[in-house]
Amino acid sequence: MGQTSGRQERNKKPEVAPSEIMEAEIEVQNTKEETKDVKAKNQKLTSVFGLADLKNEAIGLYNLGQSCCLNSLLQVFLMNIHFTRILRRITVPPSPAQRRNNVPYQMLLLLEKMQCGKCKAVGPTDLACCLSEHRVELFVQHDAAQLFLTLWNLLKKQMKKPVEELSDLYTICIQEHLACQKCSFEVKNNSTMLTLPLPVLDANSHRLKTLEDCLQYFFHPEELTGQNMCFCQQCGRKTTFLQSMKLVHLPQTLALHLKRFCFERSSRTQKLSLHLPFPQELDLREILTESQCQADDSEKGTWQFELFAVVAHSGLSSCGHYCAYIRSLTDCKWYCFNDSEVCQVSWDDVKCTYGHSNLYWRETAYLLFYMKKHPQQPWPGVSECL
Amino acid sequence: MAQWQEVQSLANTYLEQVHQLYAGSALPMAVRQSLAAWIESQNWRQAAEPLCSQARMLFHSLLVVLGERLGSLGSDREDFMLKHNLRKAHRDLQAEFEEKPETFANLVANLLQEERRILRLGQAGEQEGSAPAPSPAPESGREQQIQQRLGDFHRALQEAERAFRHLEDLQDAFDFCFKVHYRPDGERNSDPEYIQELKSLQDKLQNLHRQRQEVLALMQQLLRRSETLQELLQQELGGWRARQQRQCLGGPGDTNLRPLETWFTELGQGLFQLRQLLRALGELRQKVTYARDPLVTETPLLEQRLQEQLTHLLRSAFVVEQQPSTPNAAKRPLVLRTAGKFSARARLLVRLHDRNHRMEARIHIDRDPPNIRGFRRFNILTSSSKTLLAGDSPQEGLICDFQYLTLKEQKDSRAGKGKGGGGEGPLVVTEELHLITFTLAYAYCGLELELEATTLPFVIISNNNQFSSAWASILWFNMLSSDPKAQQFFSSPPPAPWPRLAEVLSWQFQSVAERGLSRDNLLMLAKKLLGSKPSLDSTVAWSKFSKDSGSGFSFWAWLDGILGLLQEHLKQLWKKGLILGFVSHKQKEKLLKCKRSGTFLLRFSETVLGGVTFTWVEHPETGPPIFHAVEPYTASELVSLALPDIIRDYHMSMEEKNPENPLKFLYPNIARDEAFGPFYSQRMEGNLSDSQKYLNRRLIRVSSRPPNRRQTEEELVVATQDLQMLQLQPRGQGTQQPGGLPWPQPLGTLQVTPGNVGTPQGVTMTPGTLQVTPGNVGTPQGVTVTPGTLQVTPGNVGTPQGVTMTPGTLQVTPGNLGTPQGVTMTPGTLQPRGLGMLQPQPQSLEPPQVASGVPNFQGTLQVAPGAVGTVQVLPGGLRGDSGTLLGTVAVSSGTLPAEQGTLPAELRDLELLPGGRDMQELLQSLQELEPGLEAAGLMPDVVPTLEESFQLSPGSAALLDQHDPFLPQPEDSVLPIVPSLFTDFPPLHIDPSDFQ
């Protein structure tokens, strides 16, 4: 576990880094889980194997009260066969109490319930209770990006065995560069992220036209001047630095977070409903310049993505509703998961989440999940990047 | 088709799956088959929910229906097995599910769901198997998609309504139980029965909660569907707007609003229904609510979202169906005239309204005027408000139709613009864009909105001569801007990409004459606009397009002139593609070079506004091909003689040759009559034996060419065939050309109709013979009317065969300046059998003095020695005439100041009757002045005026100045030749052989 926790230490940064809305609430879980670290029994739930996946029909999740956000994210997780493949191999905790509080295990149970029950929808009550044990409150409207991170951290912490595969599946490796503009002093820093938090407005509050623009803008080097100047060890004083980010590795499932909110002076968060189209196919090699990548050709060869899921939000920043559009990996059709109601939709429906600057209550895409088209097998581990 | 039927028609592989599905199922397939319709019409999913009484009811109904079915089975042998199976199933089902009907309901629901899945797979497989169906046109594909989605939307709406009613039932049941059983005072808190009831109440509430969620989820789904639908409709509407804009420019496109109206109305209806449903949901919440009631948190959200969507739909549904246009401006809307009437119409595509509520529509002009200095402001003089008409028939829709609108300029706001005042704005009138805004106070089902629709910008002109450039502005704007509110567009008009402009120009021709511009046409225009190397990326600046480029007129004015010409005179020819049209000088020679002699093409003049001309090629025996181009015809000429007839009768007279029509083949290689035959005006084929009062007549055009000239452009009209009528259309420009005939410029036509021309009686002319071929110009009229011909074709004065005129009978109308009459009437000189005596015998010839009251005619008649004299008719109402006898050479070249050549309109077609005063004077004077007349003597009061009004220009000499030494004087009719002055002129030869 020492080794594991060591990696967790290092990974802590991206957990906090991606977006402003995230609170540092991770530490608590770290300590909590240590105590439960009993010997894994390596017991597999044999019952969950077999035909379950074959009848992988989209099943709804009942809303337990403001749980639309959780429901949407759960669907995004559970419709991802790469994830469920990992989930099915988790180590089941020995004691009933541990099982009750184990997020991966509860998630697995939910998956089974969804797939065996042949019901239209199931209630994620047990999982929700389990999560509330880990300070994910029930009956509270969550921010999807934040909840996604929380969920993922919980999963990673509590999953014993295939945790590295989990990291490989979701974490993005980037290299941060800080270069002093006065001398040649340069700081490089490798880090991982779970989502790329993409701004939808540029520094002058002009709207960025497309998702590709957002990505370009995100990787655009930024000069740190004035108040933002950094201390240069070589120069011995605060100097202007050029901050840039280079992409090192992209995971099988790439999560993009559209920062559709702005803080007004009144400190109220305002939702930006502006129009931002995103493509069904995304090729990062075409978007990023050579200098924005730090990867070899075989890595870059895998940077072609297909849209897998969209978590959309309707309403205002204070109140609203989430739903998820997911393209099934088995039948390649789009489904809309709106709590208990699941229906097949078309790309036209998904396109409606591009947003409209005059329609504030409409659904707008908030989280985008892209899936690699040609995954490299085996995926290079995150450990190699660090 | 019912589901079970569809399942049975699946392919074998899928049927196998169905068999497997039922192999282990508690519901035997026999039951499924026997009760297929009934099973499918029940809501098993809903019944399967826990604690739902419906499950038990359904289960028992099934048993009953099954029993009935058993009873209805006959005693046939085939039915025997079925009967047995059904009976067994009845027993088994009852035994197994009597106590747990919910499980049974769930089982059936799952079976049906699985069937549907297999069905989907199977049908998808079939579609793939069958050859790729011919993909429908994208248009109809989108239409289908919208239709289908509308259908889905309405089905989902019905489903939501059903679910809502179910929710109502549940809530009523719960409410009742709650009121009956719930005792908050706690007196029965320990009572186990009460605890049991409380638990059941709790369950009922749970159920209610779930149903509420269900309904909410359905509503959300509905909103989502309608959002996608609206997105599609907005795209369609955007397409319609673009089509309307294009159509305003004359482009193609269907601008029927009917399908859009239907779709918008259906969607609007659905959304209003949904709104009702949401309200009812709110009422349910009023009655029963509890902690974490989803209705409390979700309904406001849904209401907001719906409201926003409905507003968006209605706002976009108010459109200007008919852009402002005046009734008569065929195909050119958006150009209005002050004080002229115009109309505009807006339509609300959502055909929903409250019959009891009158909705008022208003119009405003330039509600938010742009901040442009000198921008004219207008008032709408007529009533600017109107009640929205619902129309008695539902087909008509909701329209506000404003007709007979008139605009008046607000004088005070305008600081003398157009009057050269200081308030001159940066934009000329035709670049000033105005807008009309429609507003409508919409109210329906408690929703009140102010809707707004804006027209495309239009131009307001005060004079018709601004029409063309106003239209150019409209073209430019609609071609380049899709923002209808950009009234400042012409403050800095963007350049137009050539391909776009080319398309729009082509539409202009398409809409005027039903044939667009060909690629070659466009290439020529591109070269004209963009220089020799136009590319697809080239752009054309607004000023280049619409502003005078130094040639006296702008590109657009030139093009519009051609459009006008097409519209008025050449529609059919253009439509049939007989006019090659836009061909540059160079190109036309290239095209014709390798064609045989007599191949011609029709093209538009590049130097004359609205002119069309033809060019033909001639291959001389030696030397390079020669290209002849006739001087362009304009509307004023084509109005009296259609181009096909001109082409048919066109003649070229050449020295020592019979005049012939040089136009033989239309480029590339179509016989002239084949190409133009259908367009010739009908020829009256009469002969003299007919008891016709008048002979047929016909006008032809002739060009003549002096032998030493390659090309001549002057043309004449000579009456041939019957010679009853003469038309004259002299062209002014001939004068300018060295060597050409100095023509005066009477722009009108002189017509001499039989009634006033020298009566055909007494003139024994044989029409056939009287052609203006050299050598047999007998017709006096020909001589007189076309003085020029006499000069050029030297021999044509001769042989006036068949002219047997008795002087008394010939009456001269001033219009055709009867010089010939003069000739004929002088008995001594003219003898029957013509002018055979045209030997130089000056003394025997009487200078034919023709008095003319026609001011618009000035020509010179030049005759060989012994022939007649000069006739000149002067503009300006002068009764000018002077006869001159030329000794050996005809000399004439008179130039008139241009303004004298133009006639007042009323004088263009002048007819003078024989009995007129001028006539009398003429005759009188002729008698009086028989032996050697002097013009001055004839009409003394005229001469001074003549002198004044004539100017001599170097290189050409005007006649009629009797003091001009070069002019023949009556006394000495033989004058020395003065070749130096008239080098361009061929000497006149008269060869006796020509005359017989």
Side-chain angles (χ1 to χ4, degrees):
Chain A
M1 191 62 212
Q3 205 185 1
T4 319
S5 60
R7 182 170 295 124
Q8 276 170 351
E9 278 308 309
R10 251 184 289 166
N11 285 348
K12 226 160 105 184
K13 195 183 306 158
E15 286 162 14
V16 193
S19 72
E20 295 88 329
I21 47 156
M22 276 178 239
E23 306 299 329
E25 55 174 50
I26 302 108
E27 297 102 290
V28 199
Q29 292 142 23
N30 275 342
T31 52
K32 211 170 183 178
E33 287 306 330
E34 296 287 347
T35 57
K36 288 181 190 164
D37 194 12
V38 196
K39 256 179 278 163
K41 233 181 161 186
N42 203 13
Q43 173 202 342
K44 285 179 182 170
L45 270 183
T46 43
S47 64
V48 305
F49 277 94
L51 35 105
D53 266 354
L54 296 175
K55 301 194 174 170
N56 199 359
E57 198 156 344
I59 304 292
L61 292 169
Y62 281 111
N63 193 324
L64 305 172
Q66 305 276 27
S67 69
C68 53
C69 179
L70 176 68
N71 286 351
S72 302
L73 288 172
L74 285 177
Q75 297 284 12
V76 173
F77 272 119
L78 297 179
M79 286 297 284
N80 185 350
I81 51 173
H82 304 291
F83 176 76
T84 52
R85 200 176 288 154
I86 295 170
L87 191 65
R88 289 185 194 292
R89 300 193 345 247
I90 56 163
T91 318
V92 177
S95 78
Q98 280 170 336
R99 279 181 220 164
R100 208 164 40 243
N101 287 336
N102 187 285
V103 176
Y105 180 70
Q106 288 300 331
M107 223 155 151
L108 182 58
L109 285 189
L110 180 66
L111 176 66
E112 289 315 313
K113 204 161 128 196
M114 287 164 81
Q115 292 183 342
C116 299
K118 288 255 165 224
C119 291
K120 193 185 116 186
V122 297
T125 328
D126 294 341
L127 178 63
C129 292
C130 161
L131 285 171
S132 65
E133 290 293 312
H134 302 289
R135 306 189 71 194
V136 179
E137 284 173 63
L138 265 173
F139 314 125
V140 171
Q141 186 71 266
H142 291 275
D143 177 277
Q146 188 179 357
L147 188 63
F148 175 61
L149 186 78
T150 316
L151 270 182
W152 191 80
N153 281 335
L154 284 170
L155 281 172
K156 203 181 66 173
K157 230 153 273 164
Q158 299 181 4
M159 212 181 256
K160 294 298 168 303
K161 215 180 107 244
V163 67
E164 281 175 21
E165 282 181 36
L166 185 69
S167 299
D168 288 346
L169 188 57
Y170 283 104
T171 42
I172 305 156
C173 299
I174 56 162
Q175 193 175 54
E176 283 174 301
H177 280 244
L178 267 178
C180 174
Q181 297 298 87
K182 289 272 183 295
C183 61
S184 59
F185 181 69
E186 193 177 16
V187 188
K188 283 185 198 169
N189 191 9
N190 281 336
S191 62
T192 59
M193 299 174 115
L194 185 63
T195 60
L196 291 181
L198 303 179
V200 293
L201 299 177
D202 66 10
N204 304 320
S205 290
H206 291 307
R207 47 170 294 228
L208 296 162
K209 295 275 187 306
T210 61
L211 181 72
E212 288 88 339
D213 290 347
C214 295
L215 278 163
Q216 266 164 359
Y217 186 75
F218 180 75
F219 282 101
H220 192 72
E222 188 188 3
E223 203 159 63
L224 302 176
T225 54
Q227 280 195 327
N228 297 328
M229 283 203 295
C230 299
F231 182 81
C232 175
Q233 296 173 343
Q234 215 156 297
C235 304
R237 63 187 171 93
K238 275 197 166 186
T239 56
T240 305
F241 270 77
L242 190 71
Q243 185 186 37
S244 57
M245 252 184 284
K246 291 184 178 188
L247 202 50
V248 178
H249 168 73
L250 286 173
Q252 170 68 23
T253 308
L254 171 65
L256 304 176
H257 172 206
L258 302 177
K259 297 206 288 181
R260 280 188 176 274
F261 40 78
C262 65
F263 302 98
E264 284 190 330
R265 283 185 197 88
S266 60
S267 81
R268 240 192 14 211
T269 327
Q270 188 90 17
K271 186 177 165 188
L272 302 169
S273 62
L274 50 81
H275 182 78
L276 184 89
F278 46 84
Q280 268 185 292
E281 311 223 327
L282 185 69
D283 191 343
L284 275 126
R285 294 174 303 177
E286 287 172 7
I287 295 166
L288 301 183
T289 61
E290 200 57 43
S291 64
Q292 289 165 337
C293 311
Q294 182 76 48
D296 57 14
D297 284 347
S298 73
E299 165 63 28
K300 279 189 184 167
T302 67
W303 285 5
Q304 286 168 284
F305 289 85
E306 253 176 323
L307 189 59
F308 161 63
V310 177
V311 173
H313 179 260
S314 63
L316 307 180
S317 59
S318 50
C319 61
H321 179 74
Y322 280 102
C323 70
Y325 290 89
I326 302 173
R327 187 167 172 269
S328 161
L329 293 171
T330 46
D331 68 2
C332 294
K333 293 194 175 94
W334 282 98
Y335 292 90
C336 175
F337 293 81
N338 182 35
D339 291 333
S340 58
E341 216 45 54
V342 182
C343 59
Q344 197 187 319
V345 294
S346 69
W347 174 240
D348 278 329
D349 296 288
V350 184
K351 280 202 293 195
C352 273
T353 65
Y354 283 172
H356 193 294
S357 28
N358 294 329
L359 299 174
Y360 306 105
W361 293 87
R362 209 184 239 202
E363 280 170 4
T364 43
Y366 185 51
L367 292 180
L368 299 174
F369 293 86
Y370 278 91
M371 200 65 87
K372 257 183 193 168
K373 270 165 126 180
H374 314 290
Q376 222 176 30
Q377 292 288 354
W379 307 313
V382 182
S383 43
E384 292 166 35
C385 307
L386 294 173
Chain B
M1 215 197 317
Q3 184 173 325
W4 185 248
Q5 269 171 302
E6 285 186 73
V7 166
Q8 282 171 310
S9 61
L10 278 175
N12 275 337
T13 46
Y14 299 102
L15 274 185
E16 190 54 38
Q17 290 185 28
V18 179
H19 281 297
Q20 277 177 9
L21 182 67
Y22 279 90
S25 158
L27 182 76
M29 202 190 258
V31 178
R32 173 77 178 96
Q33 165 106 26
S34 301
L35 308 177
W38 184 84
I39 289 177
E40 282 164 31
S41 60
Q42 310 304 315
N43 192 345
W44 296 97
R45 185 57 76 198
Q46 199 149 53
E49 310 224 329
L51 295 169
C52 186
S53 54
Q54 226 180 334
R56 186 167 302 276
M57 201 189 74
L58 268 184
F59 180 65
H60 285 291
S61 306
L62 177 97
L63 291 182
V64 170
V65 175
L66 194 57
E68 279 171 9
R69 177 92 180 112
L70 269 170
S72 71
L73 282 176
S75 52
D76 286 354
R77 199 162 281 186
E78 284 172 28
D79 287 342
F80 182 72
M81 269 302 286
L82 180 61
K83 227 172 180 173
H84 170 78
N85 284 341
L86 289 185
R87 194 170 291 147
K88 180 176 181 296
H90 191 280
R91 213 171 40 238
D92 290 350
L93 287 177
Q94 197 161 16
E96 195 174 350
F97 296 109
E98 181 72 64
E99 293 308 312
K100 36 178 181 171
E102 289 90 357
T103 321
F104 179 72
N106 197 30
L107 173 102
V108 179
N110 285 338
L111 276 175
L112 292 178
Q113 184 179 334
E114 194 65 12
E115 274 177 21
R116 278 195 290 272
R117 191 186 65 85
I118 296 172
L119 206 54
R120 270 206 306 274
L121 280 176
Q123 281 163 348
E126 268 170 42
Q127 270 174 13
E128 269 168 41
S130 63
S135 57
E139 292 285 323
S140 66
R142 279 212 310 280
E143 261 171 47
Q144 263 179 359
Q145 201 189 353
I146 289 172
Q147 295 285 16
Q148 194 189 333
R149 275 181 181 272
L150 269 173
D152 288 349
F153 177 70
H154 280 286
R155 269 191 293 282
L157 192 62
Q158 280 164 7
E159 200 184 322
E161 276 173 343
R162 266 202 304 276
F164 173 77
R165 279 196 294 278
H166 183 57
L167 174 67
E168 260 181 334
D169 292 345
L170 283 180
Q171 178 162 326
D172 286 349
F174 168 80
D175 206 22
F176 178 75
C177 291
F178 182 74
K179 280 176 181 146
V180 168
H181 296 299
Y182 186 59
R183 294 284 173 270
D185 46 20
E187 63 184 51
R188 296 172 64 192
N189 272 357
S190 51
D191 185 348
E193 202 180 317
Y194 179 68
I195 291 172
Q196 185 64 37
E197 263 160 16
L198 219 52
K199 189 177 180 310
S200 130
L201 211 52
Q202 187 65 49
D203 285 344
K204 278 202 168 65
L205 181 62
Q206 197 60 42
N207 209 9
L208 181 67
H209 174 70
R210 184 147 291 181
Q211 185 62 24
R212 281 190 170 185
Q213 280 187 341
E214 194 98 326
V215 172
L216 284 171
L218 282 173
M219 300 255 185
Q220 262 147 5
Q221 196 197 334
L222 267 172
L223 275 176
R224 198 169 296 122
R225 279 179 197 277
S226 67
E227 268 165 15
T228 313
L229 196 51
Q230 198 178 138
E231 200 74 4
L232 293 175
L233 289 189
Q234 298 293 355
Q235 278 170 24
E236 287 297 301
L237 187 64
W240 176 82
R241 279 184 207 281
R243 285 200 299 279
Q244 190 193 38
Q245 212 175 358
R246 271 212 306 271
Q247 206 191 39
C248 281
L249 301 185
D254 178 17
T255 52
N256 184 10
L257 272 174
R258 186 50 58 79
L260 273 172
E261 192 182 36
T262 315
W263 296 332
F264 268 82
T265 307
E266 279 184 37
L267 181 59
Q269 223 158 16
L271 288 177
F272 273 111
Q273 238 170 306
L274 197 56
R275 194 157 169 271
Q276 290 299 114
L277 213 54
L278 264 177
R279 285 194 174 169
L281 217 51
E283 283 163 19
L284 286 188
R285 191 188 67 194
Q286 299 294 319
K287 287 182 194 151
V288 175
T289 189
Y290 45 89
R292 290 198 291 281
D293 180 1
L295 288 188
V296 174
T297 48
E298 302 280 323
T299 330
L301 196 70
L302 282 174
E303 267 168 6
Q304 293 278 8
R305 196 167 154 192
L306 179 63
Q307 180 84 6
E308 184 182 78
Q309 223 188 110
L310 206 47
T311 311
H312 186 54
L313 184 79
L314 286 165
R315 284 198 200 288
S316 57
F318 194 43
V319 297
V320 178
E321 184 178 22
Q322 188 210 323
Q323 298 290 346
S325 56
T326 50
N328 297 327
K331 292 168 185 167
R332 289 190 175 182
L334 297 169
V335 179
L336 308 181
R337 271 193 56 182
T338 48
K341 300 224 182 325
F342 69 98
S343 58
R345 182 167 66 236
R347 181 185 285 270
L348 182 62
L349 295 176
V350 177
R351 218 170 39 217
L352 299 174
H353 71 113
D354 195 346
R355 290 239 168 229
N356 301 320
H357 185 92
R358 286 159 56 91
M359 287 189 277
E360 202 181 50
R362 301 185 142 272
I363 47 171
H364 316 266
I365 183 163
D366 296 324
R367 210 168 48 160
D368 310 303
N371 186 18
I372 301 173
R373 197 160 46 86
F375 188 79
R376 294 174 302 163
R377 302 298 310 275
F378 288 88
N379 289 332
I380 295 175
L381 282 189
T382 29
S383 164
S384 65
S385 73
K386 205 162 202 150
T387 306
L388 186 70
L389 282 181
D392 290 329
S393 66
Q395 282 84 31
E396 281 175 33
L398 298 175
I399 50 173
C400 35
D401 200 354
F402 285 91
Q403 285 180 339
Y404 310 113
L405 295 170
T406 43
L407 294 173
K408 188 165 184 359
E409 192 176 344
Q410 294 176 6
K411 280 296 171 198
D412 51 295
S413 70
R414 180 179 167 197
K417 179 170 177 182
K419 299 180 184 94
E424 192 82 17
L427 292 184
V428 297
V429 165
T430 55
E431 293 181 355
E432 215 179 76
L433 299 176
H434 298 269
L435 289 175
I436 281 182
T437 310
F438 291 79
T439 55
L440 174 68
Y442 184 75
Y444 182 64
C445 287
L447 179 77
E448 290 190 11
L449 276 177
E450 166 120 329
L451 305 180
E452 209 180 287
T454 309
T455 62
L456 290 172
F458 50 88
V459 173
I460 304 174
I461 57 173
S462 48
N463 194 314
N464 264 348
N465 61 16
Q466 296 165 314
F467 191 80
S468 175
S469 53
W471 182 244
S473 303
I474 294 298
L475 286 183
W476 208 258
F477 178 88
N478 286 298
M479 174 167 59
L480 297 172
S481 173
S482 54
D483 172 17
K485 299 202 174 172
Q487 279 178 282
Q488 306 245 19
F489 181 78
F490 283 105
S491 299
S492 54
W498 168 247
R500 184 92 187 86
L501 180 61
E503 183 186 38
V504 170
L505 292 181
S506 185
W507 289 344
Q508 302 312 303
F509 283 82
Q510 180 75 42
S511 69
V512 161
E514 295 167 54
R515 185 190 179 93
L517 294 171
S518 70
R519 248 192 49 193
D520 291 337
N521 287 161
L522 290 172
L523 188 68
M524 182 269 184
L525 291 179
K527 282 183 178 162
K528 197 170 166 66
L529 271 174
L530 303 163
S532 57
K533 290 230 165 19
S535 80
L536 284 180
D537 308 325
S538 314
T539 56
V540 181
W542 166 241
S543 58
K544 179 123 187 170
F545 179 75
S546 69
K547 302 278 165 30
D548 195 342
S549 53
S551 60
F553 45 81
S554 68
F555 176 80
W556 168 249
W558 173 69
L559 211 60
D560 203 32
I562 291 167
L563 282 167
L565 190 72
L566 282 182
Q567 163 108 11
E568 294 297 320
H569 302 293
L570 304 173
K571 223 173 190 167
Q572 295 304 319
L573 298 189
W574 176 257
K575 191 175 159 190
K576 278 210 76 183
L578 300 177
I579 302 177
L580 214 49
F582 298 97
V583 186
S584 63
H585 271 294
K586 230 187 223 165
Q587 183 67 12
K588 83 180 179 201
E589 294 188 358
K590 213 172 110 191
L591 290 178
L592 289 174
K593 199 161 61 189
C594 46
K595 296 290 171 187
R596 47 184 159 158
S597 283
T599 304
F600 66 104
L601 54 82
L602 297 178
R603 53 181 286 274
F604 298 121
S605 164
E606 287 183 70
T607 48
V608 177
L609 268 184
V612 64
T613 172
F614 40 81
T615 302
W616 73 93
V617 64
E618 208 179 87
H619 294 283
E621 277 158 34
T622 56
I626 305 167
F627 303 99
H628 303 274
V630 76
E631 213 189 295
Y633 299 91
T634 58
S636 59
E637 289 151 289
L638 296 180
V639 76
S640 55
L641 195 55
L643 190 63
D645 291 340
I646 293 178
I647 290 167
R648 176 188 58 189
D649 295 333
Y650 183 81
H651 278 76
M652 178 82 171
S653 53
M654 272 167 287
E655 194 188 8
E656 299 177 15
K657 269 190 197 168
N658 286 347
E660 56 171 5
N661 191 336
L663 312 175
K664 295 194 176 68
F665 307 100
L666 178 66
Y667 179 86
N669 191 18
I670 312 168
R672 180 192 66 221
D673 292 342
E674 191 185 315
F676 293 97
F679 305 104
Y680 293 156
S681 61
Q682 277 194 337
R683 228 184 278 196
M684 306 253 286
E685 299 292 350
N687 63 50
L688 286 177
S689 63
D690 280 353
S691 60
Q692 277 180 301
K693 192 173 177 193
Y694 301 123
L695 296 175
N696 287 330
R697 53 188 158 74
R698 175 176 164 202
L699 303 174
I700 62 169
R701 299 208 161 222
V702 176
S703 284
S704 50
R705 171 159 72 128
N708 60 343
R709 293 259 316 142
R710 270 274 156 88
Q711 211 162 324
T712 61
E713 295 219 11
E714 67 272 28
E715 52 194 286
L716 297 169
V717 182
V718 176
T720 57
Q721 206 171 15
D722 313 342
L723 296 172
Q724 279 184 355
M725 173 196 244
L726 294 176
Q727 281 206 355
L728 229 187
Q729 288 185 281
R731 292 284 312 170
Q733 300 201 340
T735 9
Q736 262 60 275
Q737 302 191 355
L741 271 176
W743 271 103
Q745 307 190 334
L747 286 175
T749 51
L750 270 180
Q751 291 202 351
V752 183
T753 50
N756 53 14
V757 173
T759 55
Q761 308 100 341
V763 184
T764 58
M765 302 183 223
T766 52
T769 52
L770 282 174
Q771 289 159 358
V772 195
T773 48
N776 65 351
V777 165
T779 74
Q781 287 95 339
V783 175
T784 53
V785 178
T786 63
T789 36
L790 282 175
Q791 297 173 331
V792 188
T793 56
N796 66 354
V797 176
T799 70
Q801 305 123 331
V803 183
T804 59
M805 303 184 216
T806 57
T809 50
L810 254 189
Q811 294 169 357
V812 184
T813 52
N816 55 4
L817 291 183
T819 4
Q821 290 93 338
V823 176
T824 50
M825 285 191 305
T826 55
T829 50
L830 260 187
Q831 287 162 7
R833 300 311 302 161
L835 292 176
M837 68 296 105
L838 273 178
Q839 295 93 14
Q841 285 177 324
Q843 69 279 9
S844 72
L845 277 175
E846 305 299 334
Q849 304 294 347
V850 182
S852 152
V854 186
N856 59 346
F857 186 85
Q858 186 208 14
T860 48
L861 179 64
Q862 298 185 351
V863 195
V868 199
T870 318
V871 178
Q872 297 201 343
V873 183
L874 296 177
L878 294 174
R879 295 199 180 86
D881 60 329
S882 68
T884 44
L885 268 184
L886 302 188
T888 48
V889 184
V891 174
S892 91
S893 62
T895 318
L896 275 180
E899 63 269 20
Q900 288 186 340
T902 49
L903 266 185
E906 61 272 16
L907 289 176
R908 291 227 174 117
D909 296 307
L910 194 72
E911 296 182 359
L912 284 189
L913 293 174
R917 186 175 147 266
D918 296 330
M919 203 65 238
Q920 301 300 333
E921 278 179 15
L922 168 72
L923 291 175
Q924 203 179 2
S925 59
L926 281 173
Q927 283 163 4
E928 281 172 8
L929 304 167
E930 216 168 309
L933 286 176
E934 215 180 310
L938 182 68
M939 291 194 134
D941 54 331
V942 163
V943 177
T945 339
L946 282 181
E947 286 174 356
E948 277 166 27
S949 60
F950 272 72
Q951 291 173 358
L952 285 177
S953 57
S956 64
L959 291 183
L960 298 178
D961 188 342
Q962 50 189 318
H963 305 301
D964 188 328
F966 299 121
L967 280 179
Q969 301 297 316
E971 297 85 36
D972 47 356
S973 49
V974 180
L975 274 182
I977 306 168
V978 189
S980 63
L981 261 175
F982 309 103
T983 42
D984 281 335
F985 251 89
L988 207 67
H989 297 287
I990 294 185
D991 193 328
S993 66
D994 283 337
F995 299 132
Q996 294 296 331

